Amino acid sequence: MRQLCILALTLLLSACAASSDQRAKAFYQWYTAGLAQPDRGMFFASPALAPWVASSTLERLQKAYNSPEITALSADYFICSQDVSEEWQHYVRVSAPWSVPGGQAVNVTLDAPEEPAMKVSLTVYLLSEKGEWKISRVTEGSTEQWLPE
C-alpha cells in the first residue's frame, strides 16, 4: 500500500511539473524584473540563477564573469543585449516548445510597446535537470555568445 501511495504521489508531482515553455516564461518574467531594479542586483552569472539555468551553463557563465582574461561577453547572456527595458517583464511571449537534441527549445520575445526598438527575439534551449526544465543556451537569430569550457 505504501508503494502505491508513493507511486501515486510521484505521478501527481510529475503532472504538476512546469513545461519547458512555462519555465521559460516564468524565468524571463523573474529575470527581467530583477534587471529592471535600480540596484541591478540581477546579472547573467548570479548564483540566484541556479534554479533556472543548467548547472553546466551556469558554471561556464560564472567562469566567464570571474575571469579577467575573458571579455567575450559583450551583452547579458540571457537577453542578448546591454540595454534593459522596464517593460519586458510585462510583455514576455513564449512559443510552443519543439524538440531539439538533448531537450526542447522555445522562441521568447521580450516586447516593449512604448519602446519598439527594445524588442528582443530569442531562441532559448532547455534541458531537463533533476525533473526541472533549465536553460542551457540562448541565441538571438544566428548569434550565440561564446562561453568558456
Side-chain angles (χ1 to χ4, degrees):
M1 182 67 167
R2 182 177 180 176
Q3 289 178 335
L4 184 58
C5 289
I6 291 172
L7 178 62
L9 182 60
T10 302
L11 290 173
L12 180 64
L13 290 175
S14 66
C16 295
S19 62
S20 58
D21 55 324
Q22 291 170 331
R23 284 285 288 176
K25 183 169 186 166
F27 168 77
Y28 276 96
Q29 288 172 328
W30 171 79
Y31 188 70
T32 57
L35 290 176
Q37 296 302 312
D39 65 358
R40 294 290 300 263
M42 183 58 60
F43 65 102
F44 69 87
S46 170
L49 296 170
W52 302 98
V53 178
S55 57
S56 61
T57 302
L58 187 55
E59 286 172 16
R60 293 170 68 198
L61 285 165
Q62 289 172 339
K63 184 176 182 177
Y65 181 75
N66 292 318
S67 174
E69 295 87 38
I70 298 174
T71 58
L73 293 177
S74 59
D76 183 284
Y77 184 77
F78 297 103
I79 60 172
C80 298
S81 176
Q82 292 179 349
D83 299 319
V84 176
S85 172
E86 291 181 11
E87 292 185 72
W88 283 344
Q89 64 186 306
H90 306 293
Y91 297 100
V92 176
R93 292 193 323 261
V94 179
S95 73
W98 67 92
S99 294
V100 296
Q104 295 187 343
V106 294
N107 288 322
V108 173
T109 302
L110 305 176
D111 209 351
E114 298 296 319
E115 305 171 272
M118 292 296 293
K119 181 177 179 178
V120 176
S121 298
L122 309 164
T123 301
V124 178
Y125 298 84
L126 301 102
L127 56 84
S128 182
E129 193 174 90
K130 297 181 183 176
E132 292 280 358
W133 287 106
K134 294 192 175 191
I135 296 171
S136 61
R137 188 172 146 219
V138 179
T139 63
E140 182 182 31
S142 62
T143 305
E144 180 175 7
Q145 293 191 70
W146 175 84
L147 290 179
E149 290 298 323

